């Protein structure tokens, strides 16, 4: 198959949620098919069920492998042959299992480089009783566990978290100079390489409300100071209430919050447009809208597809940005001689002392009496 457009894989998410509704709405405009070739990982029968329930006009081409995908069409790749019972608006073990089958198939194709970008629609993480993170699962399946920094973004801010989901009492134990420095560098790299922000400014939030606890004085401030030598522009620590309440986030390209609620509550509360999540730091390009399967509005044609559309845009941009960013480093110029010579060569090519004195004598003006 000759295909010059970026192949974007999109998983259908929980089959009782709003996944198919968002997919149908996103690709209802021909402009989206000019940007990429979409491959929906799902079930033709489930897709047809949702299309009928929503009374929507939505065309898709059924394929069995990526190589059959065609430009200018919504390609639906069959991930399961068995029938899936659809109960729109009700999370069930069957709908969760269908979501995971589609995700596993898509991750395998991504790992084999059959697709360039993967956009995952939300699953019900509590359906299997484990409550695990979809992003952690994806990293494990891709063979890059614990490598990603989840960057949450919209038109107003981009936020990363210094710690994973954990009890508040355990957060301070994770706040060390090394850990905070690593998170700041990871965010800095993501902003430069993935989003092509030349010299990103990063705001670091304080852990304590008054920003003068031992975490701030002994950890966060020293971490920021030592990164100055690496030309990383990090500032803070800022108290969260002042930072978000006075709209200081507008002056920064990225924000590092210390724990989940500190970053995610203002991110979800302040209307910054379409929210997306980017798994930066991986060898693969993975994005996602940040909402849930939205069972409460499933099947009612009330879903807003803007976050899915944004996640696709960001995924395409990141894929292109990484190529442009990495290309100059593939064949670096050899160092010039004066950049790599050692002190021995400096001595070798220096002017001998006695010869230097004779040159000075010749240049000195004659005494006139």
């Amino acid at each position: 198959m000759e295909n010059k457009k970026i192949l974007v894989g999109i998983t259908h998410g929980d089959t009782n949620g709003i996944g198919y509704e968002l997919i149908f709405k996103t690709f209802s405009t021909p402009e989206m098919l000019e940007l990429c070739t979409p491959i929906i990982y799902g079930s033709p029968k489930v897709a047809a069920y949702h299309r009928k329930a929503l009374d929507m006009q939505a065309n898709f081409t059924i394929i069995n492998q990526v190589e059959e995908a065609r430009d200018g069409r919504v390609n639906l790749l069959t991930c399961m042959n068995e029938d899936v019972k659809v109960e729109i608006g009700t999370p069930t073990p069957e709908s969760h299992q269908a979501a995971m089958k589609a995700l596993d198939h898509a991750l395998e194709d991504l790992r084999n480089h059959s697709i360039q970008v993967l956009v995952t629609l939300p699953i019900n993480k509590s359906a299997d009783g484990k409550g695990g993170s979809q992003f952690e699962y994806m990293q494990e399946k891709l063979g890059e566990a614990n490598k990603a920094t989840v960057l949450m973004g919209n038109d107003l801010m981009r936020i990363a978290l210094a710690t994973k989901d954990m009890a508040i009492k355990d957060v301070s134990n994770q706040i060390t100079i090394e850990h905070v420095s690593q998170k700041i560098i990871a965010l800095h790299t993501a902003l430069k390489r993935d989003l092509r922000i030349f010299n990103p400014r990063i705001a670091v939030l304080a852990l304590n409300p008054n920003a003068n606890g031992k975490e701030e004085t002994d950890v966060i401030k020293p971490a920021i100071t030592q990164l100055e030598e690496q030309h990383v522009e990090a500032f803070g620590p800022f108290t969260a209430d002042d930072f978000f309440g006075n709209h200081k986030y507008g002056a920064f390209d990225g924000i590092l919050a210390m724990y989940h609620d500190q970053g995610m509550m203002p991110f979800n509360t302040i209307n910054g447009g379409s929210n997306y999540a980017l798994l930066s730091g991986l060898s693969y390009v993975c994005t996602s809208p940040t909402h849930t399967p939205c069972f409460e509005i499933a099947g009612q044609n009330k879903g807003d597809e803007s976050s899915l559309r944004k996640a696709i845009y960001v995924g395409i941009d990141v894929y292109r940005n990484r190529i442009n960013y990495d290309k100059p480093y593939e064949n670096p110029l050899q160092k010039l001689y004066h950049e790599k010579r050692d002190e021995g060569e400096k001595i070798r090519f220096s002017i001998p002392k006695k010869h230097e004195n004779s040159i000075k004598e010749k240049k000195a003006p004659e005494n006139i009496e």
Side-chain angles (χ1 to χ4, degrees):
M1 175 189 66
E2 292 185 3
N3 197 316
K4 295 182 180 179
K5 292 184 179 178
I6 295 176
L7 292 172
V8 178
I10 304 171
T11 60
H12 62 185
D14 192 294
T15 52
N16 290 337
I18 61 171
Y20 278 107
E21 177 184 339
L22 301 185
I23 291 171
F24 295 153
K25 289 181 176 179
T26 296
F27 292 101
S28 62
T29 57
E31 290 81 7
M32 291 298 296
L33 295 177
E34 295 175 2
L35 289 175
C36 64
T37 298
I39 300 174
I40 313 304
Y41 287 81
S43 165
K45 292 182 180 180
V46 175
Y49 186 99
H50 278 269
R51 179 175 60 183
K52 182 178 181 180
L54 294 163
D55 191 22
M56 298 177 64
Q57 295 293 326
N59 297 321
F60 50 84
T61 300
I62 301 174
I63 62 175
N64 294 309
Q65 53 187 358
V66 173
E67 289 73 19
E68 298 173 7
R70 298 179 62 180
D71 288 343
R73 298 187 181 184
V74 177
N75 303 277
L76 201 158
L77 194 152
T78 305
C79 296
M80 58 207 75
N81 295 319
E82 65 275 15
D83 291 337
V84 178
K85 184 179 180 181
V86 180
E87 300 178 56
I88 297 178
T90 303
T92 64
E94 292 78 10
S95 65
H96 177 77
Q97 185 179 15
M100 297 307 296
K101 283 186 177 182
L103 180 58
D104 287 342
H105 197 146
L107 289 171
E108 185 65 24
D109 283 349
L110 182 67
R111 190 169 184 175
N112 294 333
H113 304 288
S114 297
I115 57 176
Q116 284 82 49
V117 176
L118 175 59
V119 180
T120 57
L121 280 167
I123 62 174
N124 181 22
K125 66 179 183 179
S126 62
D128 57 2
K130 299 178 182 179
S133 166
Q134 176 179 332
F135 295 149
E136 292 179 358
Y137 178 83
M138 292 169 61
Q139 293 177 65
E140 291 177 0
K141 287 295 238 180
L142 292 171
E144 298 189 356
N146 300 318
K147 288 187 177 182
T149 295
V150 181
L151 180 62
M152 318 295 289
N154 55 35
D155 294 336
L156 292 180
M157 65 185 78
R158 306 174 190 90
I159 295 182
L161 305 178
T163 57
K164 298 180 180 180
D165 294 353
M166 61 177 61
I168 294 296
K169 63 181 180 63
D170 298 327
V171 171
S172 61
N173 295 330
Q174 297 293 317
I175 305 301
T176 64
I177 293 179
E178 180 181 9
H179 183 75
V180 172
S181 298
Q182 289 176 349
K183 290 297 181 179
I184 295 175
I185 292 173
L187 177 56
H188 178 266
T189 302
L191 294 170
K192 288 188 66 175
R193 182 173 182 248
D194 292 345
L195 302 181
R196 294 313 302 271
I197 299 173
F198 177 72
N199 191 28
R201 292 166 52 86
I202 296 174
V204 183
L205 301 185
L207 177 63
N208 299 292
N210 53 12
N212 63 1
K214 65 181 182 65
E215 289 84 5
E216 287 78 24
T217 57
D218 298 345
V219 177
I220 299 177
K221 288 181 180 179
I224 293 173
T225 300
Q226 73 177 21
L227 288 177
E228 292 178 0
E229 299 178 358
Q230 301 182 40
H231 307 290
V232 175
E233 292 200 18
F235 304 87
F238 300 97
T239 57
D241 58 343
D242 176 62
F243 184 81
F244 292 107
N246 292 308
H247 309 284
K248 293 182 179 180
Y249 50 81
F252 298 93
D253 302 298
I255 304 164
L256 181 68
M258 291 297 107
Y259 57 93
H260 181 274
D261 286 3
Q262 185 187 55
M264 297 313 300
M265 287 184 66
F267 177 76
N268 291 322
T269 302
I270 300 172
N271 185 8
S274 307
N275 294 346
Y276 65 87
L278 165 66
L279 270 68
S280 61
L282 297 180
S283 304
Y284 311 91
V285 180
C286 302
T287 65
S288 175
T290 61
H291 54 72
T292 67
C294 301
F295 296 111
E296 66 278 4
I297 61 171
Q300 302 175 37
N301 203 9
K302 295 180 180 179
D304 182 0
E305 76 279 10
S306 60
S307 288
L308 173 57
R309 199 181 300 253
K310 184 72 172 182
I312 295 173
Y313 290 154
V314 171
I316 293 172
D317 287 343
V318 170
Y319 177 75
R320 291 172 174 165
N321 289 342
R322 287 185 181 181
I323 292 175
N324 294 330
Y325 185 87
D326 296 340
K327 193 172 184 179
Y329 297 98
E330 292 177 357
N331 298 295
L333 293 174
Q334 294 184 356
K335 286 186 177 181
L336 297 176
Y337 181 78
H338 71 273
E339 293 177 320
K340 63 181 180 181
R341 66 188 182 187
D342 57 22
E343 291 299 322
E345 290 173 323
K346 289 180 180 179
I347 297 173
R348 176 185 171 192
F349 289 97
S350 62
I351 301 175
K353 189 68 177 176
K354 63 178 182 179
H355 183 57
E356 181 181 352
N357 293 335
S358 65
I359 293 176
K360 290 180 180 179
E361 292 175 359
K362 289 182 180 180
K363 289 184 177 180
E366 296 181 359
N367 293 331
I368 301 176
E369 296 181 356

